[in-house]
Amino acid sequence: MFRTKRTGLVRRLWRSRAPVEGDGETDTRTHGSGGCCMGKSTKVTGKTSAGTEAELKALTHSILKKIKEKQLEGLLQAVESKGGARSPCLLLPSKVDTKLGQQSYSLPLLLYKVFRWPDLRHCSELKRLSCCESYGKINPELVCCNPHHMSRLCELESPPPPYSRYPMDFLKPPDSPDSGPSSTDTEGTTYSAPVGLSDSQALQESGDRSHWCVVAYWEEKTRVGRLYSVQEPSLDIFYDLPQGNGFCLGQLSSDNKSPLVQMVRTKIGYGIQLSREHDGVWVYNRSCYPIFIKSATLDNPDSRTLLVHKVFPGFSIKAFDFEKADSLQRPNDHEFTQQPRTGFTVQISFVKGWGQCYTRQFISSCPCWLEVIFNNR
């Protein structure tokens, strides 16, 4: 009856905390909020004891009650929308430690664990997203504790599991059903490419350098819509996102009535975020389902096969490295002699993977996928 607005916000936040997995140990790689990209399994302890749960609740409530009301509203917006709504930074003192049982946690780590990743062990496992206003700024006194301004870092496994490999015979001749289209249209201009050249090669030969990449959306073997030019440092690509800005796939007109394509469309959700940063281009999986990525710069330079990497929800991976791509353009590379622009193209499939251990051997068989084509600097 006499509940204050602050108390209501704290209670809603606690109800929206990240769930801890059920009884026993669970491999979080099979769930939306945890896991790693081709990395070692991350184990999560089962349900917390009643004592630990009560202690965690009391600790969390005591922290939240010290936060400004406006900051609580921003945190609640981020948590309840699961990162779908743009939310402000939650700037809190960086040197405050909290104690839960015998374990001490930094304030950011505790909030990240409570509201997003219960299995998180250290902040070094995280990467700050470019949407964070404190990104790149040095402030030793304050740190952003908004859990949806962070992502988990993928750990590449070596050697990769067999499912991620696919044979080199994916390099089909020009008359193959799986070969790329023969023309590219972008921003009202059509570039005709010689037979057998992909969109990426056609774009590179056009000489257009006004953007750092373009994105093509495909449904199986058909490209849907025109190429989307990317000039801003960061781009959200999504199917259905309230108040979203970026490349909305749901607005594209598609004639594909395949039940599988229709189903995968509904699972794209918040999609991904492409971000060009000082060390390369990062892909952040914002959806509730895995994505699959193939990029030449993710592989060993001496490898004669490219790998398909699985990226779980909430994880980021450096999908492209411009300097490494330049070094890959070697005349003796088997793949690049047949498709010279392969090193400057990244392919991303939503929900469904492709490769040797899947029924889909080629990405052109995937229901919904993207081709990200980079300009060679």
Side-chain angles (χ1 to χ4, degrees), residues 43 150 170 269 301 330 338:
K43 298 295 183 179
M150 308 295 291
F170 85 98
R330 300 188 303 266
Q338 298 190 51

Side-chain angles (χ1 to χ4, degrees), residues 117-162:
W117 298 291
D119 64 314
L120 186 65
R121 294 163 295 184
H122 196 275
C123 287
S124 62
E125 300 173 29
L126 301 177
K127 178 188 183 298
R128 191 168 302 280
L129 297 172
S130 59
C131 64
C132 183
E133 292 180 3
S134 65
Y135 185 81
K137 297 179 181 179
I138 300 176
N139 189 334
E141 302 299 326
L142 299 175
V143 63
C144 178
C145 297
N146 186 331
H148 288 279
H149 283 191
M150 308 295 291
S151 67
R152 297 288 287 269
L153 279 169
C154 286
E155 299 174 3
L156 300 184
E157 187 177 45
S158 180

Side-chain angles (χ1 to χ4, degrees), residues 17-23 44-48 53 56 113 118-119:
R17 69 191 185 279
V20 178
E21 300 299 335
D23 291 328
V44 180
T45 306
K47 290 181 179 178
T48 57
E53 177 78 3
L56 178 62
K113 286 173 68 68
D119 64 314

Side-chain angles (χ1 to χ4, degrees), residues 17-92:
R17 69 191 185 279
V20 178
E21 300 299 335
D23 291 328
E25 290 189 335
T26 304
D27 183 348
T28 60
R29 290 198 301 171
T30 63
H31 298 272
S33 62
C36 54
C37 167
M38 291 182 58
K40 297 179 180 179
S41 300
T42 303
K43 298 295 183 179
V44 180
T45 306
K47 290 181 179 178
T48 57
S49 66
T52 305
E53 177 78 3
E55 189 179 356
L56 178 62
K57 180 178 180 180
L59 177 59
T60 303
H61 275 60
S62 68
I63 293 171
L64 296 178
K65 287 178 180 179
K66 297 176 183 177
I67 297 176
K68 295 179 181 179
E69 195 171 284
K70 188 174 182 181
Q71 289 180 308
L72 288 177
E73 291 175 344
L75 177 60
L76 183 64
Q77 181 184 36
V79 171
E80 287 190 336
S81 69
K82 300 187 186 303
R86 292 295 185 185
S87 55
C89 290
L90 177 61
L91 296 175
L92 298 176

